[in-house]
Amino acid sequence: MVLGAGGVLGGAWMAGALHALAERTRWYPRHAEYIVGTSAGSVLAAFGAAGVPPWLLIPEASTNVYHGLIDAGGNLQVHGDLWERIVRRRPLGLPRFLPGSLSLFLAGMRQGNTTLLKMLCGLAPVGVFSTDPIKDTVRWVANDGGWVQHPNTWIVACDYQTGDRVVFGKEGAPEVDVAQAVAASCAIPGYYRPEEIDGRLYVDGALHSMSNLDLLLGLKLDLVVVVSPHSTRQKFRGWDPLNRFTDVTRQVAARQVDAEVEALRAEGTEVLLLEPVAEDLAAIGGNVMDDRRRTQVMRTATRTTLEQLKRADRKAPLALLERPLQVRPPKPAPEPAEPHGTPQLRPAV
């Protein structure tokens, strides 16, 4: 399962799409052998890895009551709008207008024109909003001070100085709790403050790729489900400058995702790619951080994704999702490792 970047409303769209996928197949993110999350997708990746069902993010779904949810402190939580908790704005002071990271800008220049986003983000001032609401919400549903139970949950961020990709949760990455990793992955330059981990600053993983789908190359998986809110084949109507700029970034993201998908398919891996359609774009609008539209976006995404799943070209990947789940035998290890059970929320007592 690969969950891409897309801002607040991209996250809302993914919540609706995942809800539709679960309704159609009874397959949930926690069933995936690997979960990769970038930016807004990292929030949904952490929730899915912790066993949170997609419908819990939909405001009208059972009034968000889930009696199986116990927080890390052992307290029973029976209600609450998770998405509302995530998007709370907590300013940290007045904006500054100096470039946030000239070294990131220079790194983007050295790496060529394909890293224009890194150059722009290096020139953007340091963000004024705190990532604490994101961390608090992730810790509310995931292990406090640790990682989620799912053994292959990868959260993607970028070093704020070098622009290098860092995959938290993957072997060789810095040790960090899952809430910090998600906050780093969501730290949009110019909007959120960078996340400091072991003396280094990290920002949004979308600076490297909107999906980071290429992380799964070489794993020889049967199927990869990609939920990509920012790579779309549609365009906004009209001549609004913000919409025109968004169209350009979406086209760049689409080309990048296409290249990553083709590389996986060349290895023999089936790919189910879910993206917004024209009706979704109309619901999202040009400002992906406008939380007032999230309920409409979620409702629309659920409906349009169910329609996408009826297409003839989706039958083969859906057949793989609907077959009985099979657990692969563990790889031999030189030393005994701690066993990992099926990731799920602790039952209420």
Side-chain angles (χ1 to χ4, degrees), residues 97-109:
F97 298 101
L98 296 175
S101 177
L102 285 175
S103 61
L104 177 61
F105 169 75
L106 294 174
M109 288 189 64

Side-chain angles (χ1 to χ4, degrees), residues 23-321:
E23 284 288 298
R24 173 66 173 78
T25 65
R26 294 293 183 262
W27 189 87
Y28 296 88
R30 68 176 182 269
H31 295 145
E33 190 173 357
Y34 294 84
I35 305 176
V36 179
T38 301
S39 196
S42 71
V43 177
L44 293 160
F47 285 175
V52 174
W55 60 259
L56 194 64
L57 297 171
I58 311 298
E60 299 86 354
S62 302
T63 63
N64 287 50
V65 174
Y66 185 57
H67 293 277
L69 180 59
I70 298 178
D71 68 11
N75 302 307
L76 178 65
Q77 306 291 337
V78 296
H79 62 82
D81 188 334
L82 289 180
W83 209 250
E84 177 65 28
R85 289 170 175 263
I86 296 165
V87 299
R88 287 174 182 167
R89 304 292 192 267
R90 191 176 297 174
L92 295 174
L94 296 174
R96 301 175 183 177
F97 298 101
L98 296 175
S101 177
L102 285 175
S103 61
L104 177 61
F105 169 75
L106 294 174
M109 288 189 64
R110 289 193 297 268
Q111 293 169 18
N113 58 11
T114 58
T115 58
L116 176 62
L117 186 58
K118 290 183 181 179
M119 296 168 60
L120 294 175
C121 288
L123 290 176
V126 174
V128 298
F129 291 107
S130 170
T131 57
D132 286 348
I134 298 172
K135 287 185 284 192
D136 292 343
T137 307
V138 173
R139 287 178 179 140
W140 189 56
V141 298
N143 294 332
D144 188 12
W147 204 253
V148 286
Q149 292 181 355
H150 192 288
N152 294 314
T153 301
W154 294 348
I155 305 299
V156 184
C158 286
D159 189 294
Y160 196 34
Q161 301 301 316
T162 66
D164 293 340
R165 178 170 64 181
V166 179
V167 186
F168 294 112
K170 191 176 182 182
E171 186 177 358
E175 292 287 336
V176 63
D177 73 62
V178 66
Q180 280 186 294
V182 170
S185 185
C186 290
I188 303 170
Y191 191 86
Y192 286 116
R193 285 286 177 88
E195 184 70 17
E196 183 174 351
I197 299 171
D198 293 336
R200 295 200 68 84
L201 297 177
Y202 295 93
V203 291
D204 199 320
L207 270 65
H208 183 88
S209 167
M210 289 290 176
S211 66
N212 289 288
L213 181 58
D214 61 301
L215 289 172
L216 300 178
L217 289 171
L219 296 178
K220 305 297 184 182
L221 300 171
D222 298 318
L223 172 68
V224 174
V225 180
V226 187
V227 187
S228 179
H230 204 70
S231 62
T232 180
R233 317 297 149 165
Q234 311 291 335
K235 291 185 179 182
F236 286 111
R237 295 180 179 179
W239 294 98
D240 182 279
L242 180 58
N243 289 348
R244 297 283 68 77
F245 175 77
T246 303
D247 279 342
V248 172
T249 62
R250 288 182 180 279
Q251 291 167 19
V252 171
R255 288 195 295 269
Q256 189 174 37
V257 168
D258 285 346
E260 294 170 350
V261 167
E262 287 307 311
L264 275 174
R265 286 175 172 162
E267 293 184 344
T269 298
E270 183 74 65
V271 178
L272 173 61
L273 177 61
L274 298 175
E275 298 172 312
V277 296
E279 191 175 352
D280 295 306
L281 291 185
I284 293 171
N287 182 5
V288 296
M289 303 303 289
D290 183 3
D291 182 55
R292 295 171 299 179
R293 305 169 68 91
R294 67 188 172 99
T295 300
Q296 179 186 357
V297 170
M298 288 178 178
R299 289 173 178 167
T300 304
T302 300
R303 184 177 67 257
T304 61
T305 302
L306 284 171
E307 293 171 356
Q308 285 192 60
L309 295 176
K310 295 177 182 178
R311 286 168 31 185
D313 62 334
R314 307 303 167 98
K315 288 184 178 179
L318 286 178
L320 291 173
L321 288 182

